[in-house]
Amino acid sequence: MARLVMKFGGTSVADLDRIRNVAAHVKREVDAGHQVAVVVSAMSGKTNELVAFCRGAALLHDAREYDAVVASGEQVTSGLLAITLQAMGVDARSWQGWQVPIVTDQAHGAARIASIDGTRVIQQMEEGRVAVIAGFQGIAPDGRISTLGRGGSDTSAVAIAAALKAERCDIYTDVDGVYTTDPRVVPKARRLDKVSFEEMLEMASLGSKVLQVRSVELAMVHRVRTFVRSSFEDPANPKTMPNGDPFGTLICDEDEIVEQQVVTGIAYSKDEAQISIRRVADKPGVAAAVFVPLAAANINVDMIVQNVSSDGKETDITFTVPAVDYERAVSVLESNLEGIGYQAIEGAKDVCKVSVIGIGMRSHAGVAADAFQALASKGINIRAITTSEIKISVLIDAAYTELAVRTLHSVYGLDKA
Ligand code: ASP
Ligand code: MG
């Protein structure tokens, strides 16, 4: 007997039939003797619709009222799932964020969870009642409903699993696990049985869209074993691994992973843009003059390349920003022209960041060299490079994304046989 958190996303609760399917998954775990808390998203498309209503009502609107509106999608699905479970003879009760309570900070629309008191939910679970908890929402210090930012119900689920000291947090979704890369780009991508928190955090930050980045951060901090699996399996008889374990990908501590690979996955993201500042003075304080105003404007800078100047006087600085912030970044730099001092700003939005990820890189030399050589052999030019202990990212022309991902995937032996 274990305590489990089961999370179902929007496509898994898109209509009453799918909610019945979810209820059948829950019933299976209850029948196996587990204590179960379920976290649900809104029906797919619902939150978009609610956000559009707010914008339609007034382009500039009060974030507290936005939260009152957009949190309602999860209120509906949590109640419907509780009703469906009851109709199947499973004792269940819905919980809104404020009822648990899940306390957040004051940042309406993009709140962070501050604390969760699991006492009452645990009590009910121990009495054999399934707790169906609305994802994506909590209660802010002002006593009003808050929401966690788009995709936030993954974060709700992991935070609840930590608070309830659950043995595992099962994320049911429309894919059957985490893959070595996007299977739509590389049909030979393989499902991973296990991936470490650190690697998953890089994969999520670098473009893999299976889990919200924040949920992985939280899982890593609280060591919540998080399991990604498909909600489209037969609920009564889901597929299992050869050893009888459920089928999917376990995100866990690296100690739990016996067979370590050097490279675990290839991620890519087209959500970045490149900015190059030409002929800035090569003297102390110039990088600060460029990046301090960008930080003040809340623009996240990622890859940074500064050339060694050839004449000791002037140099170029290249970096990337999120594509959505590109115009804003350029205008921040233009309005700081005097403080920085440069000849021109050049930019490109048709770029892609491709990343090679693996904790094995810590102890293996030559991983980066292999990537550069493989890309060169395909004639792919690298615009910028960043590395960390467990990843290498290169910025390339977006047109070469698929070729680059496929090439790297096979160079590191990730292709499925
Ligand atoms: N319903 C919310 C959204 O669409 C939260 C979630 O699905 O994770 O962003
Ligand atoms: Mg989601």
Side-chain angles (χ1 to χ4, degrees):
M1 201 200 86
R3 186 174 291 160
L4 291 180
V5 169
M6 305 171 74
K7 186 260 169 178
F8 294 89
T11 41
S12 307
V13 294
D15 56 39
L16 288 179
D17 274 339
R18 299 239 177 121
I19 290 176
R20 271 182 217 110
N21 180 64
V22 165
H25 278 288
V26 175
K27 184 173 188 315
R28 181 191 70 239
E29 301 294 4
V30 171
D31 288 348
H34 301 312
Q35 289 180 13
V36 179
V38 191
V39 176
V40 286
S41 292
M43 292 179 179
S44 62
K46 195 59 183 177
T47 309
N48 286 345
E49 182 187 86
L50 295 169
V51 169
F53 280 150
C54 292
R55 294 216 177 107
L59 221 42
L60 278 177
H61 45 257
D62 186 328
R64 282 160 296 218
E65 301 310 337
Y66 165 93
D67 278 348
V69 175
V70 299
S72 66
E74 276 75 7
Q75 175 158 352
V76 171
T77 48
S78 58
L80 287 175
L81 180 57
I83 292 175
T84 310
L85 284 165
Q86 289 170 2
M88 288 168 57
V90 178
D91 195 0
R93 182 61 68 211
S94 70
W95 298 76
Q96 305 311 299
W98 62 270
Q99 289 170 310
V100 173
I102 298 169
V103 179
T104 71
D105 63 15
Q106 190 59 46
H108 281 283
R112 286 186 166 257
I113 296 175
S115 66
I116 297 178
D117 181 355
T119 320
R120 287 175 61 209
V121 170
I122 290 175
Q123 208 174 7
Q124 297 242 342
M125 289 165 77
E126 281 173 345
E127 287 168 18
R129 195 163 303 126
V130 172
V132 185
I133 303 172
F136 182 50
Q137 54 163 272
I139 178 168
D142 61 3
R144 306 198 61 92
I145 297 171
S146 51
T147 64
L148 307 182
R150 297 307 305 274
S153 55
D154 290 337
T155 300
S156 306
V158 172
I160 288 164
L164 301 180
K165 300 193 171 42
E167 180 169 304
R168 214 175 59 217
C169 180
D170 283 357
I171 307 274
Y172 286 79
T173 178
D174 48 6
V175 292
D176 62 4
V178 177
Y179 278 69
T180 48
T181 194
D182 185 346
R184 286 167 306 183
V185 172
V186 183
K188 284 184 177 165
R190 279 187 293 118
R191 185 188 49 81
L192 295 159
D193 287 343
K194 289 181 179 174
V195 56
S196 70
F197 292 120
E198 287 78 4
E199 288 166 322
M200 191 62 215
L201 186 58
E202 293 286 2
M203 298 225 252
S205 325
L206 295 169
S208 156
K209 300 221 158 59
V210 184
L211 289 176
Q212 197 204 29
V213 177
R214 197 129 54 91
S215 70
V216 185
E217 272 167 15
L218 211 57
M220 183 159 102
V221 170
H222 296 282
R223 294 332 233 197
V224 176
R225 297 167 78 243
T226 304
F227 189 63
V228 177
R229 58 192 296 179
S230 167
S231 64
F232 299 121
E233 288 286 323
D234 174 4
N237 196 11
K239 188 156 65 175
T240 54
M241 312 273 216
N243 68 1
D245 284 351
F247 193 86
T249 301
L250 183 67
I251 303 156
C252 60
D253 214 280
E254 56 180 286
D255 301 344
E256 241 192 276
I257 305 175
V258 196
E259 266 180 76
Q260 289 286 6
Q261 308 285 328
V262 177
V263 169
T264 307
I266 313 290
Y268 69 93
S269 159
K270 293 184 181 171
D271 304 334
E272 266 171 82
Q274 176 189 330
I275 295 178
S276 296
I277 308 181
R278 300 292 178 209
R279 309 205 69 79
V280 292
D282 189 14
K283 60 167 200 223
V286 169
V290 172
F291 296 115
V292 170
L294 292 172
N298 242 322
I299 297 171
N300 250 322
V301 172
D302 179 31
M303 313 173 98
I304 303 178
V305 182
Q306 181 180 333
N307 301 338
V308 176
S309 84
S310 51
D311 56 5
K313 292 192 190 117
E314 285 170 335
T315 185
D316 296 340
I317 298 179
T318 292
F319 54 91
T320 61
V321 296
V324 287
D325 291 331
Y326 173 76
E327 276 81 15
R328 223 155 51 80
V330 170
S331 88
V332 166
L333 294 169
E334 282 169 353
S335 57
N336 282 279
L337 171 61
E338 251 170 67
I340 306 168
Y342 55 83
Q343 192 190 67
I345 298 177
E346 285 161 22
K349 286 175 87 173
D350 51 352
V351 292
C352 177
K353 182 173 66 175
V354 179
S355 306
V356 177
I357 298 151
I359 38 179
M361 278 184 215
R362 283 191 201 130
S363 48
H364 278 77
V367 179
D370 289 344
F372 302 151
Q373 202 163 36
L375 295 173
S377 76
K378 301 286 176 185
I380 300 172
N381 185 39
I382 300 172
R383 292 162 163 263
I385 303 168
T386 48
T387 64
S388 79
E389 239 193 336
I390 66 162
K391 72 133 207 256
I392 304 152
S393 298
V394 296
L395 192 71
I396 60 168
D397 288 351
Y400 291 107
T401 305
E402 271 142 49
L403 180 60
V405 172
R406 253 185 278 128
T407 303
L408 294 171
H409 196 265
S410 82
V411 157
Y412 295 109
L414 297 174
D415 288 355
K416 127 176 111 188

